[in-house]
Every structure is written in structure tokens, then in C-alpha cells.
Amino acid sequence: MSTRSASLPFVSSDRVASKAVACGWRLDARRAMTLRPHVPSRLQITQGSAWVTLGLPHEGAGNESGDHVLQAGESLSVPAGARLVMEPWPLAGAGAAAVRFDWAAEAEAQPVERPGRFGREVVTPSRELAVALGQAGWAFARLLRGVLGYSEYLVAGRGRVLTRFESNPP
């Protein structure tokens, strides 16, 4: 059985294990996938059934190890930093078939505060100016280092052109 690991908030496609299709993502039979979201996310099974294990202390429905069997239409909230392992689960009387699912970040419950006029017209430009000055200072330091390094090269005589009196005799 092969596994796949993704550390991004959203799953990226894999040519063997999962493919982007019209109704979400697909995980083929006899494959497993590991997901590690950085933001709270939701796994929604759209077709088939899947065996899912969460790598966090378990609370709620399921057994002590955090195992869940999700059928089509069921979903599971996955907290940020969790390690979710998923593979297709065989339906009654049939072998394991491909499972289709959707994976999305859950919307933050906190409303986003819009900055006031002072924040827009003073704080934001001052932060941008600080970043620009920092970049300019870093560029100046690199330029100074390059010039000093080049002067050492010239003083050492490696780049000096010899006059005809200083040249080696033929």
C-alpha cells in the first residue's frame, strides 16, 4: 500500500493516488493518503466510504485510537496540525473501491476587522517604508562588501597591468 503526505492546507494532486475530478478529489483503491493541514479543515466524503484516522487525542464518536469510517455525505472536522490518514473502505459485499472527497479550509469564526483611516493612511505606509528602508540598507551593505572585496583584489596585485619595465623578459 502506498501513502501520500501533504503538509499544505489543501491537497495537491498526485498522478497515482488522487486526481482532481469534477466532483472533488479521488483516492483509488489500495491506496492511502496522509494529510497534515495547517488550518482547520473539513473532509467531506462525496462517493464511497473511507477509513480515516486522526493523529490527535480522540474525543467523540469512534474508537479510542481516533478511527472513523465515513460514508458518502458524511464529513469530519480536522483541526490544524492533525495527522489524518485516509484510505478507501470496502462496502458490504464488494471490495474497496475508489472514494471521492472534498477538502476545504473551514471559515474562521472571527470577523475580520477593517483598519480605520489612521491605520490605512499612516500605519500601513509606515510599515511599507520600514520594509523598503530595510531592503535598501541590506542592498547597501552587500554593495559595500563587494566594493571592499574588489579593492582587496586590486591591492593584492592580481588584477594589475604591468608596464613594459616590470614585465618578465622573454
Side-chain angles (χ1 to χ4, degrees), residues 66-80:
D67 291 352
H68 302 270
V69 176
L70 300 176
Q71 303 292 329
E74 295 180 338
S75 63
L76 178 69
S77 290
V78 182

Side-chain angles (χ1 to χ4, degrees), residues 147-160:
V147 168
L148 291 176
Y150 185 71
S151 66
E152 179 183 309
Y153 177 77
L154 291 176
V155 170
R158 282 179 248 143
R160 217 174 75 195

Side-chain angles (χ1 to χ4, degrees), residues 21-80:
V21 292
C23 63
W25 299 89
R26 175 185 167 138
L27 180 62
D28 293 330
R30 297 184 311 273
R31 302 282 182 197
M33 181 181 287
T34 300
L35 304 170
R36 291 185 178 120
H38 292 290
V39 296
S41 303
R42 178 162 296 279
L43 171 70
Q44 172 82 37
I45 304 298
T46 57
Q47 179 183 353
S49 61
W51 169 69
V52 179
T53 300
L54 282 176
L56 288 178
H58 183 67
E59 297 177 14
N63 63 21
E64 293 300 317
S65 64
D67 291 352
H68 302 270
V69 176
L70 300 176
Q71 303 292 329
E74 295 180 338
S75 63
L76 178 69
S77 290
V78 182

